[in-house]
Amino acid sequence: MQATRLLVELDSLSQSFLSTRNHSQFRHNCSIFPRSELRSMDAGKIPEHTSFLDTLPPVEFACIYGSSLHPNNSDKTSMIDYILGVANPQQWHTENLKLNRDHYVSWMIHLGGAQLITGVADHIGARIHFNPFVSHRDRMFKYGVVRMNDLVRDISGWESFYLSGRLQKPVNVVVDKSEIEKLNSVNVKAATAAALLLLPSKFSEEELYAKICSLSYMGDLRMLFAEDRNKVRKIVQGQFELFQQMYNPFIEEFAAQDLLRMSSSGDQKLNLIQDCGSSTTCSLVSSLPLPLRCHTGMKLGEKKPIDESGTINHWAGRATQKVAIKREEAADCIRKTLRRKVMVSSARQAVAGLLTAGAVHGVKYVGSKMKKAWRSWR
């Protein structure tokens, strides 16, 4: 019953969020980091990347993520990765099949078309369908299509922690008709809070970003054999200024609440000290998504996170006291919960990916990942 009520709360939140947006507003080349940061990127990349969207049916949300955002990345052979949010995936895939039939694996087209494509994403994968190895203007693209309602649910509640984890890293938002950027600030703040709970009292700014970045890789089965062992470090070091633009407002917010103390290390990077006391722990836990707060509360002794009327009990009474005293237990609970979410979503998406990419593309993609992983271990 508690899980059902949480889903109802998240459904209500996502529907309310989407229904209150003004869909007549179109914001081009906005991002979850300031526009000044976009201007500092290679000006030639933006038109080249976004022109790809002109070949697809209209979307409500689109962002570029991954290695293509690396300021020093000049590799023209690497894929440019997109996340696309649409209102109705089945309808969108139906339109896209008319425009870009060659983007899809043939067996799915013949056996079920858009309905099968959407069904595999919803019931096998992590509610997102990817089309990899799509050629456009001598570049390779991969794009994932997700239902807007599912995107909102994951950002606000870390339901699968699949897309929310990707949006905790620098991305370039190029279409945002539903103000996902605004909602994602809650996701970014929650990631900061979770990372702080998992860090010791003293740490560097780079260690904070590395911990944030690692949240979405904990439990990822690909990290065992198909990912660069130094991936997190390379992401943070390669996009350090973008992480600063993205997370400095929340570092300053927590510092203003006396949860953190900052000092400069002399190289334009910060050294940080956090208060590990009971009050700080409660404040950080309160910044986590609602389902994670409730789950942590139940694991640590809270009996009724949701009362009979359906009202959420926000860390009241002895549960707050217990979490305050047991910071290590709270951190361990959060770590295990996120690891389990990532393991499930990454495994489901891996299976769905092998089905939807086809044998040739599937082997090609896994082979390229394993090649990178092998190099990192040498």
Side-chain angles (χ1 to χ4, degrees):
M1 287 296 293
Q2 291 171 346
T4 302
R5 286 174 178 168
L6 280 176
L7 289 175
V8 171
E9 289 278 339
L10 283 174
D11 270 329
S12 176
L13 173 64
S14 60
Q15 294 289 355
S16 175
F17 179 81
L18 291 173
S19 66
T20 55
R21 300 304 98 201
N22 183 356
H23 285 192
S24 65
Q25 294 178 346
F26 181 87
R27 301 187 303 162
H28 189 69
N29 285 353
C30 58
S31 70
I32 59 174
F33 42 86
R35 293 178 184 272
S36 59
E37 197 62 42
L38 271 178
R39 289 194 293 269
S40 70
M41 296 172 67
D42 185 351
K45 286 186 177 181
I46 302 301
E48 174 191 338
H49 289 186
T50 57
S51 68
F52 174 68
L53 294 180
D54 296 334
T55 68
L56 304 174
V59 299
E60 292 191 26
F61 172 79
C63 73
I64 302 170
Y65 70 97
S67 60
S68 61
L69 292 178
H70 193 304
N72 299 319
N73 183 15
S74 58
D75 183 8
K76 296 295 184 180
T77 64
S78 61
M79 277 195 293
I80 299 170
D81 300 314
Y82 268 99
I83 294 173
L84 307 179
V86 302
N88 186 327
Q90 184 170 328
Q91 180 180 339
W92 191 91
H93 287 301
T94 298
E95 296 176 16
N96 197 36
L97 282 167
K98 298 175 182 176
L99 297 173
N100 302 293
R101 191 180 181 88
D102 59 321
H103 290 187
Y104 298 86
V105 64
S106 60
W107 75 267
M108 297 194 79
I109 298 174
H110 296 307
L111 289 183
Q115 183 176 359
L116 178 60
I117 292 165
T118 305
V120 170
D122 287 347
H123 302 296
I124 297 178
R127 298 187 178 275
I128 183 169
H129 170 86
F130 281 100
N131 282 332
F133 299 104
V134 175
S135 179
H136 174 70
R137 292 189 177 181
D138 299 322
R139 292 299 304 268
M140 297 300 291
F141 290 79
K142 179 180 74 174
Y143 63 93
V145 181
V146 62
R147 186 179 291 101
M148 286 297 296
N149 188 53
D150 292 331
L151 177 61
V152 170
R153 282 162 59 101
D154 200 39
I155 290 174
S156 58
W158 290 5
E159 187 174 74
S160 69
F161 206 56
Y162 190 81
L163 295 173
S164 53
R166 277 158 176 72
L167 292 176
Q168 290 165 2
K169 305 173 188 68
V171 301
N172 176 16
V173 179
V174 292
V175 177
D176 191 2
K177 300 179 183 178
S178 300
E179 296 191 7
I180 296 298
E181 173 188 359
K182 182 178 180 180
L183 177 65
N184 195 55
S185 63
V186 178
N187 178 35
V188 174
K189 181 178 179 179
T192 308
L196 289 174
L197 284 165
L198 299 178
L199 284 166
S201 59
K202 296 182 180 180
F203 51 92
S204 67
E205 186 178 8
E206 184 172 328
E207 288 172 329
L208 172 61
Y209 300 151
K211 182 61 69 176
I212 291 170
C213 187
S214 69
L215 294 177
S216 60
Y217 292 117
M218 294 191 301
D220 192 332
L221 299 177
R222 298 173 304 169
M223 298 301 291
L224 299 176
F225 66 94
E227 286 289 2
D228 187 338
R229 62 181 298 196
N230 301 311
K231 183 170 185 173
V232 169
R233 177 175 59 81
K234 289 180 178 179
I235 290 173
V236 172
Q237 292 181 351
Q239 304 180 34
F240 190 82
E241 291 185 0
L242 302 185
F243 272 98
Q244 285 184 314
Q245 293 283 346
M246 190 172 178
Y247 282 95
N248 271 355
F250 301 104
I251 294 175
E252 293 172 358
E253 179 180 337
F254 286 134
Q257 297 172 10
D258 294 326
L259 307 181
L260 285 174
R261 294 200 306 275
M262 301 181 293
S263 63
S264 174
S265 61
D267 57 354
Q268 296 186 330
K269 297 181 181 179
L270 298 174
N271 289 321
L272 300 161
I273 300 175
Q274 67 170 323
D275 178 7
C276 293
S278 60
S279 177
T280 297
T281 301
C282 289
S283 295
L284 293 176
V285 167
S286 69
S287 296
L288 298 175
L290 175 61
L292 184 56
R293 292 203 305 267
C294 292
H295 178 77
T296 304
M298 287 186 289
K299 287 291 185 181
L300 298 180
E302 185 174 12
K303 300 300 183 182
K304 294 176 66 177
I306 305 177
D307 64 23
E308 290 82 354
S309 66
T311 303
I312 303 298
N313 182 345
H314 291 288
W315 293 88
R318 63 182 178 83
T320 303
Q321 296 171 3
K322 185 161 188 176
V323 172
I325 297 171
K326 304 288 187 179
R327 180 186 176 97
E328 294 80 7
E329 289 186 14
D332 187 57
C333 181
I334 291 166
R335 186 183 295 108
K336 289 179 179 177
T337 301
L338 294 182
R339 183 179 290 119
R340 182 167 56 252
K341 285 180 177 289
V342 173
M343 183 178 296
V344 171
S345 62
S346 65
R348 289 180 59 175
Q349 192 57 43
V351 173
L354 290 175
L355 291 174
T356 58
V360 175
H361 283 165
V363 171
K364 183 179 179 182
Y365 183 72
V366 173
S368 66
K369 288 288 188 178
M370 292 185 69
K371 186 177 181 180
K372 290 181 180 179
W374 171 251
R375 286 176 179 171
S376 72
W377 282 95
R378 294 179 63 180

